[in-house]
Amino acid sequence: MVILTSLVVPAAVAVWLLTGGRTVSHRTANLLASVASVIALAAVVVAVIVRPTVDRAWVPSLGLRWQLAVDGISAPLLLLTAILGVGVVLHTLDRPPKGGTTAAFHACLLLVEFGALATFYARDAVLFFVAFELVLVPMWVLITRFGDAHDAAARADAGGRFVLYTAFGSTLMLVGILALVAKSGTSDLDVLAQGGGHGIPVGTQTLVAALLVAGLAVKVPVFPLHTWLPPAHTTAPTAGSVLLAAVLLKMGTYGLVRLPLASVPDGFAKVAPVLAVLGAIGIIWGGLACLVERDLKRLIAYSSVAHMGFVILGLSSGTRTGLQAALFANVAHGVISALLFVVVGGLKERWGSADLETARAALREVTPRLGFALIVGLAASLGLPGLAGFWGEFLSVYAAWSPAADRPEGLFRTLAVVAAMGTVLAAAYALRVARTVWAGERTAPPIEDSRDSEWDVIAVLVVAVLLLGIAPGPLLAMTGDAVTTIVGAAP
Amino acid sequence: MIATTVASASVAPAATSLVTFDWSVLAPVLVPALAAVAVLVLDVLAPRLVRLHATVGVLALVAGIALTVPGVLRTADDPLRTLCLPAPDGCLFEAGPLASALQLGALGSALVVLLLSWPGTDPRDHLRGGPAVLVSLVLAATAGAAGVAAAHDLGSWLVCLELATLPAIALVALRGDAPAGRGALALLTTSLVSFAMVALGAALWLVSTGEAVFSAAAATEALADPQRRVVLLLAALLLLAGLGFKLSLVPFHVWTPQAYAGATEPVAAFLAATSKVAALAALLVVVRPLVGAGAPVLFGIGMLAAVSMTLGNVLALVQDDPVRLLAWSTVAQAGWVVLPLSALNEQSAAASGGYLLAYVIATLVAFVVVHVVTSTPRLRGATDLGRTLTAYTGLLRAHPLLGGALGLALLSLAGLPPGVVGLIAKVVALRPVVGAGQWALALVAVLNAVIGVAVYLRWFAVLLRDPDEGPARPVIRSIPRPALAALVLSGAALVATSVMPQLLLGLLD
């Protein structure tokens, strides 16, 4: 019941906003969307505590069921999605969207939330795919209609890239899912995870795992399939960037854990070294790109590629620690990137562009709140102990240093060293941004500091970054049991 | 021989004659056929009462739709049968769930077409022969489409197939101008070649199996004999090629954009929906006995599917006339329709039918909107942009009903939610292919799914623009009631099947 509430309420309000309520004022639309997302958040919190299940037939001809549940792996991501769902709606309160009707903008935000929640709830492989596709069109509308107002061609290009890359990835994933279902005879993700690929030849397992990994890697994104991400982030409106970085990318890593890692572990073991190498390349590549990138929003996007590299490395190591690290880093990156995109998006609005070469007033001097939030975000992003980013990345590198028995140890140790060097790059680019944007004495041109709804959202995210950094225990405990069922109780 | 026939006839259920006869099973074919004649008679008696002609047509189709229901409710193992001969020939007319669902698709799409071409609603309307001819031709072709789905013997199969095709040529020619003539000529030439191939294929089928019935037992027997096997496979390839023309599969597709662009939009919708149902229904009748026929046919269907999808999608990507875009999209979707048949297992016939019906619903909605946008009078001062994509600028906001319906149809064709029915159809079509392990074909399908997304989102992006961005606001004053009925009918089907895809897939099994 609570699960259905958290899905139906945002979807119903979004549909109403697109049909009957097309002409409502910005305030009304925002109020409605806020109520819907708060109800969804409350329902998700209850669902995470009570852990109910839903199981209803939908398309019996395909064996497709509305099979929804919550477990330790999906719970943190559900909470993250629901909290940010409220956050992006609140953030829009003082910023009437440009480029289309406000009702459509809010409907798109709610539909993305609906699709992401459905993806994390889904316990049927085909339903997972359908939910995975739900977010595509609303996100595409957010980018092409409501994105950067300066350049229509860039919007169309970024939106097109986003939708075509991800549609390719998800259709490839569909082929993998259909092959998996054909070989194992069930599309129930829990049964698949318990079966662990028994009875499927290793060659077939490898093929299925390769298809699933390749498809999901587009969404994560893993180097070299990441080229859709920077333009999409650069042009998307702030709320869109936040959802993209904090929610949509997580759907990719979540899918990697649920599908190849849990259902065809032997096949995944064959693919894992390649994936780990690509993850490590992503860490270095993203870091290097951040060192030379001139556009601040694009820089944060590249840093996402680097952070997702750590998640991938942890996932590939095949150990309990690695998986825990990946899930932790996943959530941490969600919070940190949401914070950074809110700050950077706000700065871009105030400056008119996000070019780092233009001389501007130092944030330290003119906007202490934004400056503080930026520094917290950057520090967390470079993995400073005591902040959210530290645990995930530290544990990922540790897991790569001592991978599972069936992984090539030499390779993984090399990758651990490479990833450690990546954190040095992260420090370098974080300092570069802090030096050009935050430090200095200039006070002209003056810009307005953060206040009202924007500051509320920022404050919550800063607190979340601190909490996750100081007390990682609850989150690690939440994922712990579910991780044990996937990789066993080994360290 | 005669003695044995008579002997077995005496134990057949209807002992009064050699052939059993059940009116109610044949009714979905007979009702539109009789109505076609009735409309012509009415035209002679009362030529002025054009609305009455159209009403008779609509009522006949509604009755036909109602009469397909008993067949849909049957299971696949126990179809409604009639025209049963004494064993071993079996029944000549079998309406199982798949055949009845295809009949339903044919009759329903024809109903939408008739509503769209309601007399007096299109100001550009100057069809030759008047509305009665159009109604009668649509009904005749629909009767053929409904018949070919259930026909089981070569004779009635061929007759029904041509009955479904020939009126379509006349429908294209009805407009009477130069493009219509070119389109009709292209369609006529193609149909003749296609008929020659189908007739030759049917003859070879008869030679190889020794029976004038499409029966699995006879086909299996023929496949076991190496000499007859070759003849049977040649027959299958010829039939496939002949039907490829009608389904617009590459390389037999060339007539499609010409005929669509030359015809009026309702007739183009008829070609895109009802004719395709007839063609696929005919193909399924041929393919089902061939389950287990082996590599050459499999390879043939797979190649046709891959090439059709790719070429259709790539050319649809550069069209500016929405009708031509939908024509090339038909070519691409035809590839998707036959894709599951390349696996030739139990799932594939139903998968193919399911994909086709999903496509038919979505493409009908698109054609209804295109017809309304190009034909209804505009507010004074608005430039008539005719058939260009620019005419749709900002349609979602300028006219939410039309824009929403077209948007949902395009997303369904692209296979993206909220057009869930299109997405489920892609899952249904890919499942047999992946199950059979045809990875190369699956990869081609994946690439085409992506190009398809680009094709339809290109048009969708135009709908989504600000109405003021366009060179002229496409303000549509009012939608004629019959067209509105067509829109509501097809749109409701699209929404209902998107929310509950089982409504569509449940018809087939």
Side-chain angles (χ1 to χ4, degrees), chain B residues 101-127:
Chain B
L102 289 173
Q103 288 182 337
L104 183 65
L107 293 160
S109 55
L111 178 62
V112 172
V113 170
L114 273 194
L115 287 173
L116 269 193
S117 47
W118 195 265
T121 54
D122 188 343
R124 309 161 302 166
D125 218 354
H126 19 256
L127 294 182

PDB file of all heavy atoms in Angstrom, chain B residues 101-127:
ATOM      1  N   ALA B 101      -8.105 -12.014 -33.679  1.00  0.00           N
ATOM      2  CA  ALA B 101      -7.541 -10.726 -33.261  1.00  0.00           C
ATOM      3  C   ALA B 101      -7.105  -9.924 -34.476  1.00  0.00           C
ATOM      4  O   ALA B 101      -7.290  -8.694 -34.524  1.00  0.00           O
ATOM      5  CB  ALA B 101      -6.363 -10.939 -32.320  1.00  0.00           C
ATOM      6  N   LEU B 102      -6.542 -10.604 -35.480  1.00  0.00           N
ATOM      7  CA  LEU B 102      -6.150  -9.884 -36.690  1.00  0.00           C
ATOM      8  C   LEU B 102      -7.379  -9.388 -37.445  1.00  0.00           C
ATOM      9  O   LEU B 102      -7.380  -8.282 -37.990  1.00  0.00           O
ATOM     10  CB  LEU B 102      -5.284 -10.778 -37.579  1.00  0.00           C
ATOM     11  CG  LEU B 102      -3.885 -11.045 -37.025  1.00  0.00           C
ATOM     12  CD1 LEU B 102      -3.163 -12.076 -37.871  1.00  0.00           C
ATOM     13  CD2 LEU B 102      -3.072  -9.765 -36.974  1.00  0.00           C
ATOM     14  N   GLN B 103      -8.452 -10.223 -37.460  1.00  0.00           N
ATOM     15  CA  GLN B 103      -9.703  -9.744 -38.069  1.00  0.00           C
ATOM     16  C   GLN B 103     -10.198  -8.498 -37.351  1.00  0.00           C
ATOM     17  O   GLN B 103     -10.609  -7.520 -37.978  1.00  0.00           O
ATOM     18  CB  GLN B 103     -10.768 -10.837 -37.964  1.00  0.00           C
ATOM     19  CG  GLN B 103     -10.534 -12.013 -38.882  1.00  0.00           C
ATOM     20  CD  GLN B 103     -11.645 -13.040 -38.780  1.00  0.00           C
ATOM     21  OE1 GLN B 103     -12.337 -13.111 -37.781  1.00  0.00           O
ATOM     22  NE2 GLN B 103     -11.816 -13.832 -39.825  1.00  0.00           N
ATOM     23  N   LEU B 104     -10.139  -8.560 -36.023  1.00  0.00           N
ATOM     24  CA  LEU B 104     -10.556  -7.416 -35.221  1.00  0.00           C
ATOM     25  C   LEU B 104      -9.738  -6.182 -35.592  1.00  0.00           C
ATOM     26  O   LEU B 104     -10.281  -5.076 -35.769  1.00  0.00           O
ATOM     27  CB  LEU B 104     -10.368  -7.752 -33.742  1.00  0.00           C
ATOM     28  CG  LEU B 104     -10.800  -6.730 -32.711  1.00  0.00           C
ATOM     29  CD1 LEU B 104     -12.292  -6.559 -32.772  1.00  0.00           C
ATOM     30  CD2 LEU B 104     -10.399  -7.191 -31.320  1.00  0.00           C
ATOM     31  N   GLY B 105      -8.408  -6.363 -35.735  1.00  0.00           N
ATOM     32  CA  GLY B 105      -7.535  -5.249 -36.113  1.00  0.00           C
ATOM     33  C   GLY B 105      -7.919  -4.694 -37.470  1.00  0.00           C
ATOM     34  O   GLY B 105      -7.994  -3.477 -37.668  1.00  0.00           O
ATOM     35  N   ALA B 106      -8.185  -5.582 -38.432  1.00  0.00           N
ATOM     36  CA  ALA B 106      -8.531  -5.134 -39.781  1.00  0.00           C
ATOM     37  C   ALA B 106      -9.846  -4.358 -39.772  1.00  0.00           C
ATOM     38  O   ALA B 106      -9.941  -3.259 -40.334  1.00  0.00           O
ATOM     39  CB  ALA B 106      -8.626  -6.332 -40.716  1.00  0.00           C
ATOM     40  N   LEU B 107     -10.853  -4.931 -39.095  1.00  0.00           N
ATOM     41  CA  LEU B 107     -12.167  -4.275 -39.086  1.00  0.00           C
ATOM     42  C   LEU B 107     -12.109  -2.962 -38.313  1.00  0.00           C
ATOM     43  O   LEU B 107     -12.680  -1.948 -38.738  1.00  0.00           O
ATOM     44  CB  LEU B 107     -13.205  -5.215 -38.459  1.00  0.00           C
ATOM     45  CG  LEU B 107     -13.517  -6.482 -39.270  1.00  0.00           C
ATOM     46  CD1 LEU B 107     -14.148  -7.538 -38.398  1.00  0.00           C
ATOM     47  CD2 LEU B 107     -14.447  -6.135 -40.417  1.00  0.00           C
ATOM     48  N   GLY B 108     -11.418  -2.958 -37.179  1.00  0.00           N
ATOM     49  CA  GLY B 108     -11.323  -1.741 -36.372  1.00  0.00           C
ATOM     50  C   GLY B 108     -10.603  -0.642 -37.117  1.00  0.00           C
ATOM     51  O   GLY B 108     -11.040   0.523 -37.122  1.00  0.00           O
ATOM     52  N   SER B 109      -9.491  -0.976 -37.794  1.00  0.00           N
ATOM     53  CA  SER B 109      -8.753   0.072 -38.504  1.00  0.00           C
ATOM     54  C   SER B 109      -9.578   0.585 -39.674  1.00  0.00           C
ATOM     55  O   SER B 109      -9.568   1.778 -39.975  1.00  0.00           O
ATOM     56  CB  SER B 109      -7.392  -0.451 -38.959  1.00  0.00           C
ATOM     57  OG  SER B 109      -7.559  -1.611 -39.728  1.00  0.00           O
ATOM     58  N   ALA B 110     -10.327  -0.311 -40.338  1.00  0.00           N
ATOM     59  CA  ALA B 110     -11.175   0.148 -41.436  1.00  0.00           C
ATOM     60  C   ALA B 110     -12.261   1.091 -40.917  1.00  0.00           C
ATOM     61  O   ALA B 110     -12.632   2.061 -41.588  1.00  0.00           O
ATOM     62  CB  ALA B 110     -11.804  -1.046 -42.136  1.00  0.00           C
ATOM     63  N   LEU B 111     -12.749   0.796 -39.713  1.00  0.00           N
ATOM     64  CA  LEU B 111     -13.764   1.671 -39.111  1.00  0.00           C
ATOM     65  C   LEU B 111     -13.209   3.080 -38.928  1.00  0.00           C
ATOM     66  O   LEU B 111     -13.871   4.082 -39.266  1.00  0.00           O
ATOM     67  CB  LEU B 111     -14.197   1.076 -37.768  1.00  0.00           C
ATOM     68  CG  LEU B 111     -15.220   1.855 -36.961  1.00  0.00           C
ATOM     69  CD1 LEU B 111     -16.516   1.970 -37.737  1.00  0.00           C
ATOM     70  CD2 LEU B 111     -15.485   1.179 -35.622  1.00  0.00           C
ATOM     71  N   VAL B 112     -11.988   3.163 -38.404  1.00  0.00           N
ATOM     72  CA  VAL B 112     -11.359   4.477 -38.224  1.00  0.00           C
ATOM     73  C   VAL B 112     -11.202   5.169 -39.575  1.00  0.00           C
ATOM     74  O   VAL B 112     -11.471   6.376 -39.716  1.00  0.00           O
ATOM     75  CB  VAL B 112     -10.002   4.320 -37.501  1.00  0.00           C
ATOM     76  CG1 VAL B 112      -9.264   5.639 -37.492  1.00  0.00           C
ATOM     77  CG2 VAL B 112     -10.221   3.818 -36.094  1.00  0.00           C
ATOM     78  N   VAL B 113     -10.812   4.406 -40.593  1.00  0.00           N
ATOM     79  CA  VAL B 113     -10.626   4.998 -41.924  1.00  0.00           C
ATOM     80  C   VAL B 113     -11.950   5.539 -42.466  1.00  0.00           C
ATOM     81  O   VAL B 113     -12.004   6.646 -43.004  1.00  0.00           O
ATOM     82  CB  VAL B 113     -10.026   3.941 -42.885  1.00  0.00           C
ATOM     83  CG1 VAL B 113     -10.053   4.450 -44.313  1.00  0.00           C
ATOM     84  CG2 VAL B 113      -8.615   3.606 -42.467  1.00  0.00           C
ATOM     85  N   LEU B 114     -13.010   4.767 -42.300  1.00  0.00           N
ATOM     86  CA  LEU B 114     -14.321   5.236 -42.791  1.00  0.00           C
ATOM     87  C   LEU B 114     -14.765   6.504 -42.074  1.00  0.00           C
ATOM     88  O   LEU B 114     -15.281   7.435 -42.694  1.00  0.00           O
ATOM     89  CB  LEU B 114     -15.379   4.158 -42.591  1.00  0.00           C
ATOM     90  CG  LEU B 114     -15.538   3.116 -43.695  1.00  0.00           C
ATOM     91  CD1 LEU B 114     -16.830   2.355 -43.518  1.00  0.00           C
ATOM     92  CD2 LEU B 114     -15.503   3.761 -45.073  1.00  0.00           C
ATOM     93  N   LEU B 115     -14.546   6.544 -40.762  1.00  0.00           N
ATOM     94  CA  LEU B 115     -14.930   7.749 -40.017  1.00  0.00           C
ATOM     95  C   LEU B 115     -14.124   8.946 -40.512  1.00  0.00           C
ATOM     96  O   LEU B 115     -14.656  10.057 -40.633  1.00  0.00           O
ATOM     97  CB  LEU B 115     -14.689   7.537 -38.520  1.00  0.00           C
ATOM     98  CG  LEU B 115     -15.679   6.613 -37.816  1.00  0.00           C
ATOM     99  CD1 LEU B 115     -15.227   6.341 -36.390  1.00  0.00           C
ATOM    100  CD2 LEU B 115     -17.063   7.234 -37.809  1.00  0.00           C
ATOM    101  N   LEU B 116     -12.841   8.708 -40.804  1.00  0.00           N
ATOM    102  CA  LEU B 116     -11.995   9.812 -41.279  1.00  0.00           C
ATOM    103  C   LEU B 116     -12.444  10.329 -42.629  1.00  0.00           C
ATOM    104  O   LEU B 116     -12.321  11.516 -42.915  1.00  0.00           O
ATOM    105  CB  LEU B 116     -10.552   9.321 -41.411  1.00  0.00           C
ATOM    106  CG  LEU B 116      -9.626   9.477 -40.233  1.00  0.00           C
ATOM    107  CD1 LEU B 116      -8.209   9.241 -40.684  1.00  0.00           C
ATOM    108  CD2 LEU B 116      -9.755  10.847 -39.624  1.00  0.00           C
ATOM    109  N   SER B 117     -12.904   9.432 -43.485  1.00  0.00           N
ATOM    110  CA  SER B 117     -13.274   9.879 -44.837  1.00  0.00           C
ATOM    111  C   SER B 117     -14.784  10.119 -44.930  1.00  0.00           C
ATOM    112  O   SER B 117     -15.366   9.948 -45.988  1.00  0.00           O
ATOM    113  CB  SER B 117     -12.814   8.842 -45.858  1.00  0.00           C
ATOM    114  OG  SER B 117     -13.166   7.551 -45.448  1.00  0.00           O
ATOM    115  N   TRP B 118     -15.398  10.444 -43.823  1.00  0.00           N
ATOM    116  CA  TRP B 118     -16.839  10.738 -43.786  1.00  0.00           C
ATOM    117  C   TRP B 118     -17.162  11.832 -44.811  1.00  0.00           C
ATOM    118  O   TRP B 118     -16.453  12.834 -44.875  1.00  0.00           O
ATOM    119  CB  TRP B 118     -17.226  11.202 -42.385  1.00  0.00           C
ATOM    120  CG  TRP B 118     -18.692  11.196 -42.141  1.00  0.00           C
ATOM    121  CD1 TRP B 118     -19.544  12.240 -42.274  1.00  0.00           C
ATOM    122  CD2 TRP B 118     -19.468  10.079 -41.709  1.00  0.00           C
ATOM    123  NE1 TRP B 118     -20.816  11.847 -41.954  1.00  0.00           N
ATOM    124  CE2 TRP B 118     -20.809  10.523 -41.603  1.00  0.00           C
ATOM    125  CE3 TRP B 118     -19.182   8.748 -41.414  1.00  0.00           C
ATOM    126  CZ2 TRP B 118     -21.848   9.698 -41.218  1.00  0.00           C
ATOM    127  CZ3 TRP B 118     -20.216   7.914 -41.017  1.00  0.00           C
ATOM    128  CH2 TRP B 118     -21.535   8.385 -40.931  1.00  0.00           C
ATOM    129  N   PRO B 119     -18.204  11.640 -45.614  1.00  0.00           N
ATOM    130  CA  PRO B 119     -18.477  12.610 -46.690  1.00  0.00           C
ATOM    131  C   PRO B 119     -18.740  14.017 -46.145  1.00  0.00           C
ATOM    132  O   PRO B 119     -19.423  14.180 -45.148  1.00  0.00           O
ATOM    133  CB  PRO B 119     -19.737  12.030 -47.365  1.00  0.00           C
ATOM    134  CG  PRO B 119     -20.248  10.973 -46.458  1.00  0.00           C
ATOM    135  CD  PRO B 119     -19.105  10.492 -45.662  1.00  0.00           C
ATOM    136  N   GLY B 120     -18.152  14.973 -46.839  1.00  0.00           N
ATOM    137  CA  GLY B 120     -18.409  16.364 -46.507  1.00  0.00           C
ATOM    138  C   GLY B 120     -17.550  16.960 -45.422  1.00  0.00           C
ATOM    139  O   GLY B 120     -17.729  18.120 -45.064  1.00  0.00           O
ATOM    140  N   THR B 121     -16.589  16.197 -44.883  1.00  0.00           N
ATOM    141  CA  THR B 121     -15.776  16.771 -43.821  1.00  0.00           C
ATOM    142  C   THR B 121     -14.451  17.322 -44.337  1.00  0.00           C
ATOM    143  O   THR B 121     -13.789  18.067 -43.636  1.00  0.00           O
ATOM    144  CB  THR B 121     -15.472  15.729 -42.740  1.00  0.00           C
ATOM    145  OG1 THR B 121     -14.897  14.576 -43.359  1.00  0.00           O
ATOM    146  CG2 THR B 121     -16.716  15.343 -41.978  1.00  0.00           C
ATOM    147  N   ASP B 122     -14.062  16.933 -45.549  1.00  0.00           N
ATOM    148  CA  ASP B 122     -12.774  17.389 -46.058  1.00  0.00           C
ATOM    149  C   ASP B 122     -13.035  18.384 -47.186  1.00  0.00           C
ATOM    150  O   ASP B 122     -13.614  18.032 -48.215  1.00  0.00           O
ATOM    151  CB  ASP B 122     -11.978  16.177 -46.566  1.00  0.00           C
ATOM    152  CG  ASP B 122     -10.556  16.560 -46.917  1.00  0.00           C
ATOM    153  OD1 ASP B 122     -10.309  17.777 -47.076  1.00  0.00           O
ATOM    154  OD2 ASP B 122      -9.714  15.672 -47.030  1.00  0.00           O
ATOM    155  N   PRO B 123     -12.648  19.661 -46.997  1.00  0.00           N
ATOM    156  CA  PRO B 123     -12.926  20.663 -48.034  1.00  0.00           C
ATOM    157  C   PRO B 123     -12.216  20.347 -49.363  1.00  0.00           C
ATOM    158  O   PRO B 123     -12.652  20.805 -50.408  1.00  0.00           O
ATOM    159  CB  PRO B 123     -12.397  21.964 -47.427  1.00  0.00           C
ATOM    160  CG  PRO B 123     -11.457  21.539 -46.350  1.00  0.00           C
ATOM    161  CD  PRO B 123     -11.955  20.229 -45.845  1.00  0.00           C
ATOM    162  N   ARG B 124     -11.128  19.568 -49.296  1.00  0.00           N
ATOM    163  CA  ARG B 124     -10.414  19.268 -50.543  1.00  0.00           C
ATOM    164  C   ARG B 124     -11.021  18.060 -51.248  1.00  0.00           C
ATOM    165  O   ARG B 124     -10.443  17.514 -52.169  1.00  0.00           O
ATOM    166  CB  ARG B 124      -8.951  18.970 -50.244  1.00  0.00           C
ATOM    167  CG  ARG B 124      -8.256  19.997 -49.396  1.00  0.00           C
ATOM    168  CD  ARG B 124      -7.007  19.401 -48.786  1.00  0.00           C
ATOM    169  NE  ARG B 124      -7.370  18.212 -47.994  1.00  0.00           N
ATOM    170  CZ  ARG B 124      -6.494  17.324 -47.569  1.00  0.00           C
ATOM    171  NH1 ARG B 124      -5.219  17.454 -47.867  1.00  0.00           N
ATOM    172  NH2 ARG B 124      -6.890  16.283 -46.854  1.00  0.00           N
ATOM    173  N   ASP B 125     -12.181  17.637 -50.722  1.00  0.00           N
ATOM    174  CA  ASP B 125     -12.757  16.369 -51.145  1.00  0.00           C
ATOM    175  C   ASP B 125     -13.282  16.435 -52.564  1.00  0.00           C
ATOM    176  O   ASP B 125     -14.324  17.034 -52.819  1.00  0.00           O
ATOM    177  CB  ASP B 125     -13.918  16.069 -50.189  1.00  0.00           C
ATOM    178  CG  ASP B 125     -13.986  14.605 -49.858  1.00  0.00           C
ATOM    179  OD1 ASP B 125     -13.206  13.852 -50.462  1.00  0.00           O
ATOM    180  OD2 ASP B 125     -14.788  14.245 -48.997  1.00  0.00           O
ATOM    181  N   HIS B 126     -12.585  15.862 -53.536  1.00  0.00           N
ATOM    182  CA  HIS B 126     -13.236  15.682 -54.838  1.00  0.00           C
ATOM    183  C   HIS B 126     -12.824  14.321 -55.360  1.00  0.00           C
ATOM    184  O   HIS B 126     -12.088  14.205 -56.319  1.00  0.00           O
ATOM    185  CB  HIS B 126     -12.883  16.786 -55.822  1.00  0.00           C
ATOM    186  CG  HIS B 126     -11.648  17.539 -55.439  1.00  0.00           C
ATOM    187  ND1 HIS B 126     -11.688  18.791 -54.899  1.00  0.00           N
ATOM    188  CD2 HIS B 126     -10.361  17.187 -55.474  1.00  0.00           C
ATOM    189  CE1 HIS B 126     -10.456  19.194 -54.631  1.00  0.00           C
ATOM    190  NE2 HIS B 126      -9.645  18.250 -54.969  1.00  0.00           N
ATOM    191  N   LEU B 127     -13.273  13.311 -54.673  1.00  0.00           N
ATOM    192  CA  LEU B 127     -12.946  11.954 -55.062  1.00  0.00           C
ATOM    193  C   LEU B 127     -13.807  11.565 -56.259  1.00  0.00           C
ATOM    194  O   LEU B 127     -14.969  11.933 -56.354  1.00  0.00           O
ATOM    195  CB  LEU B 127     -13.238  11.007 -53.900  1.00  0.00           C
ATOM    196  CG  LEU B 127     -12.383  11.194 -52.670  1.00  0.00           C
ATOM    197  CD1 LEU B 127     -12.751  10.173 -51.636  1.00  0.00           C
ATOM    198  CD2 LEU B 127     -10.915  11.083 -53.020  1.00  0.00           C
TER     199      LEU B 127
END
